[in-house]
Amino acid sequence: QKEVEQDPGPLSVPEGAIVSLNCTYSNSAFQYFMWYRQYSRKGPELLMYTYSSGNKEDGRFTAQVDKSSKYISLFIRDSQPSDSATYLCAMTALSGNTPLVFGKGTRLSVIA
Amino acid sequence: DVKVTQSSRYLVKRTGEKVFLECVQDMDHENMFWYRQDPGLGLRLIYFSYDVKMKEKGDIPEGYSVSREKKERFSLILESASTNQTSMYLCASNPLTPDRGRVYTQYFGPGTRLTVL
């Protein structure tokens, strides 16, 4: 079983839709959870991060962590064509020297 | 803002050539990483470094080596390039201690798309 599982998509939605992106993981030691957005031919950029369980909201984006289920989600409200990108989840245990473990990424297309 | 730069956006090399990919970060980060990214395989860690002259193997170190002579610079070396090393190469860095509350987040460079013919 891979440490982090993420559906690669592609996911195609109409403009204005609510998008739900998800990852599951197996390592209960993970404490920090991040979502990166990667536009085509660019490097990933940090979109959101959360610590432990709970929700975090930033504008149209909401990140959720359910540690009991080992499941994290990213919701995008009122999706825009500019949200079209690959979204990667990443996570790590409580250690600055531990590399992040990434999901493979979900490719999202928002159609105008 | 953190800036991670990579020496080339696109490179074309021939099989057997020695290839150097350079990465520089300007935020005094202790940790630096090299990944390759391929369709369907996601990001795969090649090597990382916690400090000058220190290196650790990642998941796929075969065919690669690294050098970190200065804190801000981390080089990836393909000793004898092969066609299966055609890929997007991404460098990243992060601080050892929490960075403005964004603990342990990695900052990525723009990537180098390497083609080996």
Side-chain angles (χ1 to χ4, degrees):
Chain A
Q1 181 188 9
K2 295 189 184 301
E3 275 198 294
V4 179
E5 300 273 6
Q6 183 177 9
D7 187 336
L11 182 62
S12 185
V13 302
E15 182 176 359
I18 295 174
V19 176
S20 173
L21 304 169
N22 312 293
C23 289
T24 58
Y25 63 95
S26 58
N27 188 344
S28 58
F30 289 146
Q31 296 275 2
Y32 296 90
F33 304 91
M34 297 143 213
W35 286 95
Y36 283 80
R37 178 174 61 194
Q38 185 178 19
Y39 291 115
S40 182
R41 302 185 183 280
K42 298 285 180 67
E45 56 179 348
L46 181 69
L47 189 60
M48 295 190 72
Y49 80 100
T50 52
Y51 169 66
S52 193
S53 286
N55 293 1
K56 187 171 185 177
E57 189 173 322
D58 184 1
R60 296 185 294 111
F61 298 89
T62 300
Q64 285 186 354
V65 175
D66 181 349
K67 290 192 71 180
S68 63
S69 301
K70 297 189 179 69
Y71 188 87
I72 69 170
S73 301
L74 177 71
F75 296 97
I76 307 174
R77 291 184 300 279
D78 188 24
S79 56
Q80 303 294 311
S82 58
D83 295 327
S84 298
T86 296
Y87 291 81
L88 299 99
C89 63
M91 49 200 78
T92 186
L94 184 62
S95 169
N97 276 348
T98 304
L100 294 180
V101 180
F102 285 87
K104 291 185 178 180
T106 300
R107 187 171 178 184
L108 171 67
S109 294
V110 181
I111 310 302
Chain B
D1 278 350
V2 176
K3 193 167 184 181
V4 180
T5 57
Q6 295 182 229
S7 51
S8 304
R9 292 301 307 276
Y10 300 94
L11 269 182
V12 180
K13 297 291 182 180
R14 297 216 172 265
T15 302
E17 280 192 79
K18 190 169 186 176
V19 181
F20 293 86
L21 302 182
E22 303 284 341
C23 175
V24 177
Q25 50 93 4
D26 66 358
M27 281 299 290
D28 202 35
H29 286 172
E30 289 83 359
N31 300 342
M32 296 188 75
F33 307 82
W34 274 107
Y35 297 88
R36 62 178 284 178
Q37 186 176 36
D38 302 285
L41 298 176
L43 282 169
R44 292 183 290 169
L45 182 63
I46 304 172
Y47 268 97
F48 58 104
S49 169
Y50 295 136
D51 202 349
V52 176
K53 297 191 186 296
M54 296 189 70
K55 60 184 179 184
E56 296 282 344
K57 292 181 180 179
D59 300 319
I60 52 162
E62 297 79 18
Y64 303 95
S65 62
V66 290
S67 173
R68 193 166 181 199
E69 296 295 320
K70 295 184 178 182
K71 190 175 184 180
E72 68 271 17
R73 188 179 299 269
F74 192 34
S75 302
L76 180 69
I77 303 154
L78 288 66
E79 296 290 342
S80 177
S82 63
T83 55
N84 63 12
Q85 292 178 310
T86 292
S87 186
M88 168 73 110
Y89 289 88
L90 288 158
C91 175
S93 71
N94 76 274
L96 184 59
T97 53
D99 174 25
R100 296 173 295 172
R102 294 183 176 183
V103 59
Y104 310 136
T105 57
Q106 289 186 12
Y107 299 86
F108 283 85
T112 295
R113 185 165 293 277
L114 173 67
T115 301
V116 183
L117 301 175

